[in-house]
Each structure stands twice: as structure tokens, then as C-alpha cells.
């Protein structure tokens, strides 16, 4: 059994790691930490009766793998401590996601205190970097909006189907993405029947998207990203537009996506075909509530041939495939376990 | 491996049976039926890529256990067919829940066409009837509101702590309880920011509650039940009031509940203690979203000593512990499998 | 024009007073205060462009009527200051609602610092106390749950139709009732798809209900009240049960209610009749979303003749008819304006 | 008093016209029609007690102005009948919105049976066409998404600030926009905690946007529009991206918008400035819930100078400023009433 520790387990991301690992056939929980030690159900009512007690981070002993769910500065410090202690580290935060130090420091508004570790870290989008992740001792889990947008654009950008500097992304997110900390924009009377955009330009995740897509394109990619909170609890939908460089049909692009993700067990692509005659049509893909609580990702593709645009819709759970569950998928790769171990349970419907 | 069939798998209840059984270590899905054969994802977007195709009920072959998720009349007919074919039957509907034929026929507004089968059926609340369920070939799964209210009152009624004819229950339900069929009261613009009571008196589930609690009390019990739809997708909370026949303290009743449910792996009881000084207090029990999607049930107990009232709050998922998942728990009992097999996965938080 | 001031205008209750008074034909806003002076739209985005700037309470000058939306202790002090300055005071909080000092001090956990003022205050449920309100200089606006429950029981209790010591009330509330202050139980990821009861017994509003109904009954009334938060933004539904002292039919009780509220322009009573044959029936009364944002109240009545119970459902908006708008209705009475002035606009549908 | 009739008053759009006109100082309701005559509260519970009875369309007599809330074909026929009878007609549907017959017939999938009337109709976006509307006898009310997108782009397109063929719009809508007719995608269990895109390309409103913006630009405009349903009841947010043709600062564009809308009483523009140091920032503009139920529209502007993009967020209510209320504003113009008559009431907060 692999012994796993979770640092910062009282938040949503750490709690989700805990929930999934409790059910993982090859893992035992070594410990879970919180700055104010307490029973797990004070923070995660779903884990009542599991007997877990949060311990103080200083009391965390050695283990095989550590999941970090911490603010940026604490994450850097903690990562170093556990790596030096011989553990593999999966950082669920943003401390190690960018390869360019000056960009990181500007975007996060602070000096990076351990860039050597950042250079060792692998960007944890395993559909692109499975082999490096398997060999890594530090993995930087991607941001949720970034995961969805990169998965949506990767096949198109790699094959040059769309113009690289006019990618437009609207990221619609449930409020779990804002975390457990109280905030006016997540106060139910304010958001419960509302739609609120924020960081209309230059959101931090933009830089991850540009980094990864530029590497695939071989030339500079520009992403124009705006996030929005909508009143669902979990899950995001990225609406991704691209302008075609050459004519393409939906069926052709669908095949491209299915080839690209042939080895990805959690990514499913569909075309958004319409049935004739309905006054407004939909196909249930992607369906945010169908992937909420899971490590699955649904992608839907449509093409406006007359206007030369491709639309890719990508749904995943910011705490699941866009967060702690993809961390577990990465752990599986790092420890040579079956990639899908502990992660195949489907979400509820309705959800 | 036990071979399971699901009749009426396109609705929410049948879909949930399918989802849970897909993940059950000792079961394989023999078939799932729908009147209009189609791929599963046309109805349950969470089950995309599982390759299941619904077949017509007439094409359903023999198997070990059949879950019925059907309208009442169809359920009676179908139950007979499969029982005669040698399968055990778990009816997720209301065809076999009541022991008094004249009551059943009045409440459901139709003659019962196979009362012999109804007499063989066991009421599937396994916290009360585990042994009979294990020996049954037809199990009548309880209604969701009924499960919650009976679990909330059973220990108190059995021990005579409350007056039996003044039980008052408010049942708050998510809209999944209304089923997949379109209805104005489940139309999002109408209910999305609304609270709507219905059947203010004499709801059908009342008769199940009275039947089971009367049996426990040894004298006639009267339940005064009103259901309400609130805009959540899954889960119910029954608020159950009782008038004390003798003084009782919260701690004493908590012990009573914990003893009563000592062998019930999915029922957890708590007292609703309040912390001093907060302007409005809560403890996260029961927490509907923490049991949504699961087979767990949370019970919270409080006592108003000055006014002589006990309050029991009971949260469960109408499609899970109040529906298809408790059906799987009953199947486990009927086939001598570990009672918790396939059912221990915790719900997400947030959810 | 009547000059009105609002103290504590940055919260939801004060903001609602401001919104309604801005549209009142006979009122001008003298000032609105907040501890941190700022433009109104920093707190109430609906009032953008109205040009209102919050001032510090110390800068509030004389005016004809003052609405207080403050914590209890501040409210008492502020009320005295404005009354002494010659203004009429409408307190939207709980400082002056109870007539028994020892009960008030126990319930609110503090000594009352100006009981003389409390004795002069009139309980502001104008369906019961219109004449006293018209003559008052201090009005204590009722709590939201209390307004709904008292309106639901008053005709029945006055005429002795129900047993006075077994009134059972479930109060379902939107999160606006919790106020603008951030709280975990109003954090969207926690409550957005959840149902959470709190103060299962002995909630403060219980004492208002008992005070008013005891006065009507002429003998001691006991109310057994439990409040619950559900994920709507505004509005409450009180489910009120009573045990009949003598047989009664729905039509008879409906007539009783219509007579009782014949002069009440904002209260409408209906019977909850059911259509034959529907699998689950509803009539759109009471309909919380139909009264949200307004000063209207809908009451629905049903009788379970076999079990001897009457159910009264009462819907109103905790910030409207249960809060600031009823304050304006009281102001109309106090200044001999048309009772409905500024208050007749219907809510939206859907809402 | 102007006598107004409403055809198709049982739907959401017709019901909103009714609600607002009931409160209009210069209008009296002549009649409201529905195919199945019934009391208004069977359809609109907010209008209980108003005494309105829907009549059959054939019984509708002459009046001064008629609001049509009908399916397309019925709308064309009905418009002709009332225009010939001497009334002014405001069509809340899509029968007369497009100026190019072949485009209209392809988009709506049917021949247009009265193109002469379509040619007389004025596109009812009064911020662009106030004078023509004042002189018109048929006004074609814009689609909700179209209103928001045209208002968002008009100043930029007119002044040539953005490239005209790469306008990308994500339209986020509450479910009221889907209407009162039951549909799976508006079934609460499906959408209540979900995000669902539809018509990913080539939605009908695209053609209105292109028509109006092309007229302003003087050259062909291409709009790339995708709509999405999110679980709010009312209101939409259009996220509009444009690529700058020349450098521009936020303050400069804000001034441009304020000049452009200087005479528009219901449109307010803001810049989306960010406060330093917050981990995620927002200003409460635009705030969908603040304009829900009203005729107001909030616009927020931001510029990504490094990437050359402008973002315009536009919030309005699809049934209010994007529907029936803008119809009333147009009526005010057509009858030389004060433009804001009956429309200035602010929405609730929270809402």
C-alpha cells in the first residue's frame, strides 16, 4: 500500500483528495493536516464517521506521496520539505505551474523562493505529459480552467487548424472553484440567482494555457480568457472559440479529437449534432453535472462553416478532473499503478 | 457473479440502479430496458461511453435479480413475470408497500391485480426487516419520505417516548424526487428560486409511515405529513416532531438512537448541540448534500424540554438510500453478500 | 413630503427600505447611513445611478420618520435618540418586539437598556394592530417567520378551532433572511444544492408567535417551531399544522380567513383544492416566488378530516412583507397616508 | 388613457407585459388573450387577485396598442389583423426582425406570409432607432441576446475600434428565456445544478446582431455567438470580445460608451477596474440580479492592452429590457409619453 499524506485537508481540494484516496484500492491515508486540528466532519460533512482527525502540519511524518492544497508561499516551502524527506509531491496549487520565472513572479505578485524546485516540476496535464509525470518527483497540477481549455484546443493547435493568436475562452465555473473561504461573491443571497464575471482580462490561468498551447503550436499562442461564476456548486464549462485556418468539417475534427485522446481514459469527445425540427436543440454533451464529482471530461465540437469558426465545449469538475482527482490520476502514473485506479466511479444523474 | 436486470432504466431510479450496479464487485448487468430502445447516454449523460444499450422489455431474458422502476400497474405485471421465471424481484415503486388491500386500493385509486404477490412481498426498510428481506423473493422498496420518517421515529415510538397520534412531518425534497417526466412544478423557471408545497394532507407515503410505526408501537399511529419541493436536485430532509410522553434529555435520546441503529451501517445519529454565543448556530448534521448520491442517512436529534417536544431531522437521498441504492443494499442481503458491497463511496463535498 | 431616514442602509433590510421609499409618492429620502460611508452601489447594485451616498450615523439630521436596521443594542440606543428628536421610529430589528422584559432578556441574552421605550412600542403586525400602529411613535416590526405564522394561525386560534399548545411550524427560508454578513451556512458551495435546518428548537421568533397568539386565544399558546434554510434567495414559507378541536371543512375555514382578512389589502387566502386524477397535484398558492420582492402574503388552507388536522401554508418575503416593506406599510398608517401607497407593484414571474 | 391589448398573455413574455402595464400611469388593459381562457393566476401566480380573465383571441376588440407574444406564424397573421384595425403593434417575437427576406426565411425555416408588413416594421432597439420607433405602426422587438450584444458592440463598431468580422459572444441565459413550455433542458433536475450550451453555432439571434452592427459599421460584420443556459431564473449576461484595431485605454472607451448612451435612460456603462491586492476581484457591474425584473441594462468594459482585446459585459433581463419591458418603452415612444413611464422601479437586492 502506498502511504499518502494530505497537507491542507480542510479546504475543498484537500477534502476531495481525501475522499477519493479513502476509496483507492492501493492507498492508505497516512495523515491529513489542518492548521486547527479537528475531526474531519467539522469541515467535510460527507466524511462523517470515517474517524479521521486532522493533525497539525508540523506533526506530519514521512510517507510515499504528499498532496499539497495550500496557499502559494506555503506550498513552495512545504514541497521542499517533503521532497527532501523522500516523498513524491503533487501540488494542487499554482506554485510550480509556469516555466518562465519572470512571468510567474509578475503573475503571482511575489518572488519565487525555490525556483530550482519549480524547474524540476512537471506540468500535470497527463493527456500531454504522461511519461514525464511518471518519472517526476514534483508534479504541478494544472488550474481548472486551464485543463479544460488546453484539452479543448490541443488537437486543433497541434495540427494548425486554428489561428494561434485569437483563441477566445469563456470559462463558466461553479462556486466550489472559489474555495471554502467566505467571500461576498460566493455569498448565496448574492450569487444564488446571479451570473458574475470577474478578472475580465488577464486571469492567471491564461498564462498556463498560453504556455502549454505555445509548446504544442511551435509558435506564440494568445489566449483571450474571461471567467464567470454561475450558481452551480461544482463543475466548469469552457467555451472555446477558434478561427479556422482552412475549411474543416465537424466529422473530420471529431476524428482528430478521438485520435488525439485515444489513450486518455477520462476524456470523451462528441460532435454537437442537431436534430432537425426542434425549436431549440441540444445533445447532452458536454453536460457539466454528468462529470461533477468525477475525473471525467466531456468535449463537444461544432463548426460554423459559413463563418469559419470552430467551437469546442469542455466540461470537467474543477475539484475533480480539474483538481484533486487528476492529482490521484497523476499519482497512479508516478507509482506505476493502473491509471484509472480509484477513479472510475460515475457521477450521479441527476446531480 | 450475480446477473441483474433493470426494467425501466431510462428514469432516474432505474438509472441510479444501473450506475451503482456497474460499480458493484459481485454483479454484472444482464440487461436494462426502456420502452424506446436507445443508447444509455440519451437518458443518463453520466453513463456515456459505458456501451449500454437499452433493450425492449419483451426481450429481457432470465437473470438472478430484477429491479423494477415502473408505473404501478406495469410493476405488478412485471413482478409476477420475473418471479415466476425464478428471479428475485426488488420493486422500486409502490405496488407492494402496503399490507392492507383496501387501503392500498383506495390510496392508489385502482384495484390491485395480484394481491397474492403483495402478500409475499417484504417491506424493504432493512433497518427494521433485515432478516425477512434476506429470505424474500419480492421486496417492496419504501418511499423516500417514508424511509426518512420511519427511521426518525422508530426508536422513539418503539420505546413509547412520544404520543403516537400526533406525529408531524414536513418533508422537504429535491426535484429528482418528481422523476424524469416533465411537469410544471419541476420547470426550472417556476421552481428554481421557489418553494412549493403539494398534497398538503393525505400524501400516499403517509400510509407507509403509519403502517410501519403502528407495528412498532403496538397501537395506532397517526402521521400528519406535508411534502414540499425546494430547488435542490437530489436529497430530502424530513423534519419530524413528536410530543414527549415523559421528560427526556437529548443525550438520553441520542443513546437510544445509537443503540437502535448499532447494526445499521448506513445510519448515523447525532445530537444537534449548539455552540454558545453564535448568533445563529448550526452543526453540519444532518446535511442533505453530504448524503446526496449515496446510501447514507444522517439523523439529528434535539429536545425542547420546556415545551415537551422532540425534533428529529433525517436526511437521505430519495434516489439513493431512499431509492435505488437501498434496493442494492437489499439485494446484498438477499444474496448473502456483504451488506455494504458497492455502496460505501462517500458523496462529494461540496456537492 | 415626508422626510425619511434609514439607519444601517448597507444591509439587505435597510437597502430594501431605501428601494421602496425611492419609489414612494409621498416620501423623500433625507439620508441613509452606514458605518463606512460609500456610494450606495457598493452595497446594493440594484440602486446604481441613484446618486445616493451613505453618510455616517453621527451626521444624520432630523427627519419625520426613521427606519432602523441595526444590531439589537445599537437599535435601542438609536431609537431613543431619534424619538427624543421628534421622529417616529420603525425598528426593523428585534429590540422592541416582546412585552415581557424577563423573556426578552433571556431570549436575547442581554439586559434591555431602555425598557420604557419597549413599553411604548407597538408590535407592528398591522393585520392585528392597525389602530395602535397609527397612533404609535415606536413600532417594532415583527420577525419574518413570526409574521407568517401569526397570520396563518390567528383566525383559527381566535375562534378556537385548534388546540393552542400543539402548534407545529416548519419555517423554510431563503438565504436573504440570514443577512448580508458572510457565514458558512450561506456560502454558496455549501448551501447552493442543500437544505440545512438550524435552531431546531427554541428559535427566538417562537416567543413573538406565542405572545401574539396567546393574546388572541385568551389562554396560553405553545408554538413548536423549527427553521430551515433552502437555496432560494428571498422569501419564506411557513408550514403550520394545528389539531382541530372540532370537525371543520376547508370551505368553512376559507371563509373564516377571508372574513378575518377582509380589510387587509396585502393578505390573500386560498384553499388548496386538488384536481382529481393527477399523480401529484398543486395549485399555485401559496407561491413564494410570486410574493418575493413585494408586500403581499399568500395563505393556503387544507384540512385532513380523517386525521383531524388543519394545514396552513403562508408565503411572504422576509425582506418585504416580513421586513422593510411592512415597515413602509406601517409608516403609511402612522402618517395617515393610503395604506397601500408605494407598495402595490407585483413581483415578477418567473422570479 | 391608452388602451392596450396583449395577445398570448399566458406565457412569460405576455405575463410580463401585463404586470408592467397594470402599473403604468397612462395605460389601461383592454384585454389579454389566451387560447384556453382562464383566470390570470392559473398562469401567473404573481397577479393573483387582479381580477383579470384571459379571453379567446377571437373576442379581442379594438384598442390603441397591441402586444403580440405568439409563435412566429400566428404573430404575422395577428399583426396584420390589428394593424388593419387601426392599432399600433409591438411584436415581442421574431416575425419582423430581419430586413432580408431570404435570410429570414432560411433562418426561420418557413416562407414569410406578409413581407409587406415586415418592411414597414422598425427594429425596436430604441437606443439606435428611437425616432423611427416613435413614427412606426409596427415595431419588432429585438431578441434578448441580440439586444445585449448590439448594445455592447455598437459604440466600438461605429467608431471602428474593433475588427468587424471577429466578434465573439458567449450568451449566458436564465431559463425564463426558454419560455413557459416544458422542455427537458429546463427540467429542474437536469439544469438546476448544471450548465448547458446549445446551438453552439448559427443561433438565430446571430442574424439580428449582424444586421444591426453591419448597418453601424458600414461594412460586413460577423458575429460568432454561442448561447448557454445556466440555472438562474431571469436575466442574461453577454460576454462580448473584440480585437482592437488600434490601442485603446479603458478610460477612453468608457467615455465613448457614456457619450453614446448619454440619452439612453436605462443603459449604464462602467469600467471593470480592479483593486490591487485582492486574490480575485470583482466590482458589482454588471450584476445580472440587479437588473432582473427591470428595464435597466448594465455594461462593463475592460481592455487587455497586452493582447489587444476589449471585453464588454452586458447584463439585462431577457423578459424585461430584452423583452416585454422594452416593448413598453417603445410604446411610450410611439405614444409620445415620457420614455421612462412605468419602468423606473428598481429590482430587488438580493433578488
Amino acid at each position: 500500500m502506498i502511504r499518502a499524506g494530505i497537507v491542507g485537508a480542510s479546504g475543498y481540494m484537500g477534502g476531495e483528495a481525501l475522499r477519493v484516496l479513502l476509496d483507492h484500492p492501493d492507498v492508505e491515508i497516512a495523515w491529513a493536516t489542518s492548521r486547527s486540528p479537528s475531526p474531519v466532519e467539522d469541515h467535510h460533512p460527507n466524511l462523517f464517521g470515517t474517524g479521521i482527525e486532522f493533525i497539525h502540519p508540523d506533526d506530519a511524518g514521512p510517507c510515499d506521496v504528499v498532496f499539497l492544497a495550500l496557499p502559494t508561499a506555503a506550498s513552495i516551502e512545504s514541497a521542499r520539505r517533503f521532497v527532501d524527506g523522500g516523498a513524491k509531491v503533487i501540488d494542487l496549487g499554482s506554485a510550480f505551474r509556469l516555466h518562465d520565472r519572470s512571468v510567474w513572479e509578475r503573475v503571482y505578485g511575489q518572488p519565487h523562493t525555490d525556483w530550482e524546485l519549480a524547474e524540476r516540476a512537471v506540468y500535470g496535464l497527463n493527456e500531454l505529459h504522461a511519461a514525464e509525470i511518471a518519472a517526476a518527483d514534483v508534479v504541478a497540477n494544472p488550474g481548472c480552467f486551464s485543463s479544460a481549455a488546453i484539452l479543448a484546443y490541443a488537437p486543433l493547435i497541434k495540427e494548425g487548424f486554428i489561428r494561434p493568436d485569437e483563441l477566445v475562452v469563456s470559462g463558466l465555473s461553479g462556486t466550489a472553484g472559489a474555495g471554502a473561504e467566505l467571500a461576498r461573491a460566493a455569498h448565496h443571497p448574492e450569487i444564488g440567482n446571479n451570473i458574475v464575471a470577474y478578472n475580465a482580462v488577464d486571469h492567471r490561468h491564461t498564462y498556463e494555457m498560453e504556455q502549454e498551447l505555445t509548446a504544442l503550436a511551435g509558435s506564440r499562442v494568445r489566449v483571450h480568457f474571461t471567467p464567470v461564476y454561475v450558481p452551480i456548486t461544482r463543475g466548469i464549462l469552457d467555451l472555446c472559440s477558434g478561427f479556422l485556418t482552412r475549411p474543416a468539417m465537424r466529422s473530420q475534427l471529431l476524428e482528430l479529437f478521438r485520435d488525439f485522446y485515444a489513450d486518455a481514459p477520462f476524456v470523451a469527445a462528441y460532435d454537437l449534432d442537431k436534430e432537425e425540427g426542434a425549436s431549440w436543440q441540444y445533445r447532452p454533451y458536454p453536460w457539466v453535472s454528468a462529470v461533477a464529482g468525477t475525473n471525467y471530461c466531456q468535449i463537444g465540437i461544432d463548426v460554423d462553416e459559413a463563418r469559419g469558426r470552430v467551437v469546442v465545449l469542455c466540461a470537467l469538475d474543477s475539484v475533480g478532473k480539474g483538481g484533486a482527482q487528476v492529482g490521484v490520476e497523476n499519482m497512479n502514473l508516478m507509482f506505476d499503478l493502473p491509471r484509472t485506479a480509484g477513479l472510475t466511479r460515475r457521477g450521479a444523474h441527476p446531480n
Side-chain angles (χ1 to χ4, degrees), chain A:
Chain A
M1 297 292 277
I2 291 161
R3 289 174 49 81
I6 298 161
V7 187
S10 62
Y12 294 151
M13 205 62 98
E16 178 74 350
L18 200 48
R19 176 175 82 103
V20 173
L21 292 173
L22 275 168
D23 209 51
H24 194 293
D26 307 307
V27 173
E28 64 181 357
I29 307 288
W31 40 257
T33 78
S34 172
R35 276 162 303 174
S36 42
S38 56
V40 68
E41 49 262 77
D42 282 7
H43 299 276
H44 305 299
N46 57 327
L47 302 181
F48 65 96
T50 55
I52 294 167
E53 296 273 339
F54 291 157
I55 62 169
H56 193 277
D58 292 346
D59 300 330
C63 57
D64 301 312
V65 60
V66 175
F67 291 83
L68 303 180
L70 290 170
T72 302
S75 204
I76 294 171
E77 193 179 350
S78 199
R80 168 59 67 184
R81 170 183 160 205
F82 287 106
V83 166
D84 285 353
K88 291 178 189 287
V89 167
I90 295 165
D91 182 35
L92 303 175
S94 52
F96 305 111
R97 289 176 186 163
L98 301 182
H99 302 332
D100 182 318
R101 184 175 191 158
S102 65
V103 171
W104 192 96
E105 296 189 337
R106 181 167 54 76
V107 168
Y108 290 96
Q110 56 190 293
H112 198 290
T113 56
D114 196 341
W115 193 252
E116 189 274 330
L117 208 55
E119 286 179 329
R120 282 162 62 184
V122 174
Y123 190 76
L125 194 73
N126 54 49
E127 284 78 9
L128 299 183
H129 305 298
E132 301 96 303
I133 292 168
D137 57 0
V138 183
V139 167
N141 246 45
C144 54
F145 290 122
S146 317
S147 293
I150 299 166
L151 292 171
Y153 284 126
L156 298 168
I157 278 290
K158 182 148 186 289
E159 299 303 322
F161 270 102
I162 53 177
R163 301 209 302 261
D165 53 356
E166 286 152 3
L167 308 184
V168 180
V169 181
S170 296
L172 315 187
S173 175
T175 56
E181 203 171 331
L182 303 184
R184 186 183 169 199
H187 192 47
H188 187 278
E190 302 292 331
I191 191 68
N193 201 23
N194 205 358
I195 307 171
V196 182
Y198 64 102
N199 281 5
V201 301
D202 209 37
H203 183 279
R204 288 166 171 183
H205 287 186
T206 307
Y207 294 89
E208 295 174 43
M209 301 175 196
E210 291 181 340
Q211 168 182 289
E212 295 297 310
L213 294 171
T214 294
L216 278 172
S219 65
R220 196 195 61 180
V221 166
R222 274 198 169 147
V223 179
H224 305 270
F225 170 57
T226 301
V228 186
Y229 279 107
V230 301
I232 70 169
T233 51
R234 276 172 91 109
I236 65 170
L237 182 74
D238 272 8
L239 269 77
C240 303
S241 278
F243 296 106
L244 289 165
T245 53
R246 55 185 188 271
M249 286 182 309
R250 203 169 54 210
S251 58
Q252 179 186 6
L253 297 185
L254 179 63
E255 197 179 321
L256 170 72
F257 273 78
R258 291 194 164 162
D259 286 350
F260 195 93
Y261 293 117
D263 298 328
F266 294 106
V267 178
Y270 300 88
D271 69 336
L272 298 163
D273 62 328
K274 294 175 226 164
E275 291 150 44
E276 296 291 328
S279 63
W280 67 274
Q281 301 97 351
Y282 75 106
R283 286 275 298 175
Y285 306 112
W287 197 253
V288 171
S289 76
V291 295
T294 80
N295 196 47
Y296 291 93
C297 166
Q298 289 184 334
I299 290 175
I301 304 155
D302 209 345
V303 174
D304 186 337
E305 295 183 31
R307 293 184 186 82
R309 178 175 69 134
V310 56
V311 178
V312 187
L313 307 177
C314 185
L316 51 77
D317 183 343
S318 57
V319 192
K321 180 63 173 169
Q325 294 202 39
V326 79
V328 174
E329 189 182 353
N330 288 336
M331 179 200 75
N332 287 343
L333 289 167
M334 293 161 87
F335 287 87
D336 205 23
L337 301 170
R339 182 162 169 182
T340 61
L343 296 169
T344 55
R345 180 78 164 226
R346 296 307 176 111
H349 174 244
N351 201 3

